[in-house]
Amino acid sequence: MYFDFCCPYCYLAQGYLTRMREGTPLEVEWVPWEIAPETPPGGTRRPWRGLDRLRGMGEPVDRPFADLAFTPHTREALQAVEHAKPSGRADALVERLFRGFFAEGRDLGDRKTLLRLAEEAGMERVGLGEALDRGTHLPTLVANDRRAEEELHLEVVPSFLRGGRLLLAGSTTLTFPEFREAFPRLLP
């Protein structure tokens, strides 16, 4: 799944996937794709529109929304996911960071907040901090961006692929029942 932490529909899709994975052997590869690289390091302050609709969509899968008034800069949060993959902590980190921002209103662009949330997801703060300082995973983000735009011609997140083939893109209007109906296409 190509995703970004600033996308409420990615948060919903992650909740939908979590619900669908209950009792179903399904592996999800999280592919971080920074969809708003122009967002300044301190984030963008603006009230979110459509929160009532999003809350309604998230309720069946326990995806609450705080009263959001900003959009975070997500580059380091996306790098953290790449850092979490070798240790098998990516699922836990994605869950914690999505909830941290959308449910709790925490700023994922703030390094201290990011490291605290990553630690809560079972990651080591020091190792992640060092990787972020070095920009260890920036080349992967650049490669993900290039592949998404130039090879796959993706335009939106969340986008679901299997075997390099696009299965579902921009499920921004799908409710959980609609997603569940489309879900068999995502299974191997």
Side-chain angles (χ1 to χ4, degrees), residues 4 13 15 43 53 58 65 69 72-73 79 89 119 121 123 128 147 153 163 169 183 185:
D4 194 344
R53 179 176 171 272
F65 283 82
H73 182 73
Q79 289 178 70
R89 303 297 312 158
E119 187 174 53
M123 295 182 63
L128 175 57
R147 181 161 190 257
H153 306 289
F183 188 74
R185 296 186 331 201

Side-chain angles (χ1 to χ4, degrees), residues 19-186:
R19 178 63 52 88
M20 295 302 297
R21 290 167 82 179
E22 293 172 1
T24 302
L26 174 68
E27 289 185 37
V28 176
E29 178 185 351
W30 301 104
V31 183
W33 180 22
E34 187 179 17
I35 61 169
E38 69 281 357
T39 303
T44 302
R45 302 287 169 210
R46 67 164 176 82
W48 281 62
R49 290 186 246 165
L51 282 173
D52 288 338
R53 179 176 171 272
L54 293 169
R55 286 179 178 125
M57 292 174 73
E59 190 173 314
V61 291
D62 186 33
R63 290 300 177 260
F65 283 82
D67 290 326
L68 300 171
F70 72 100
T71 300
H73 182 73
T74 60
R75 186 171 297 145
E76 286 194 342
L78 295 169
Q79 289 178 70
V81 173
E82 288 299 331
H83 188 76
K85 287 180 179 181
S87 68
R89 303 297 312 158
D91 281 343
L93 181 64
V94 167
E95 170 75 20
R96 187 63 192 107
L97 294 183
F98 267 135
R99 281 195 181 274
F101 174 56
F102 286 107
E104 301 164 14
R106 313 260 304 266
D107 184 358
L108 302 183
D110 175 73
R111 172 79 67 95
K112 289 179 184 177
T113 299
L114 174 62
L115 292 175
R116 190 173 318 112
L117 293 171
E119 187 174 53
E120 291 172 14
M123 295 182 63
E124 182 198 320
R125 278 176 91 127
V126 173
L128 175 57
E130 290 172 354
L132 294 173
D133 286 342
R134 290 191 305 268
T136 302
H137 304 288
L138 278 174
T140 303
L141 290 187
V142 170
N144 290 350
D145 181 67
R146 185 174 298 118
R147 181 161 190 257
E149 293 178 6
E150 296 173 13
E151 294 175 33
L152 300 169
H153 306 289
L154 299 180
E155 296 179 6
V156 294
V157 290
S159 289
F160 299 89
L161 287 84
R162 184 177 69 218
R165 198 175 111 244
L166 181 64
L167 299 175
L168 184 63
S171 55
T172 58
T173 60
L174 294 181
T175 64
F176 178 59
E178 292 166 334
F179 185 87
R180 185 175 45 216
E181 187 175 308
F183 188 74
R185 296 186 331 201
L186 301 175

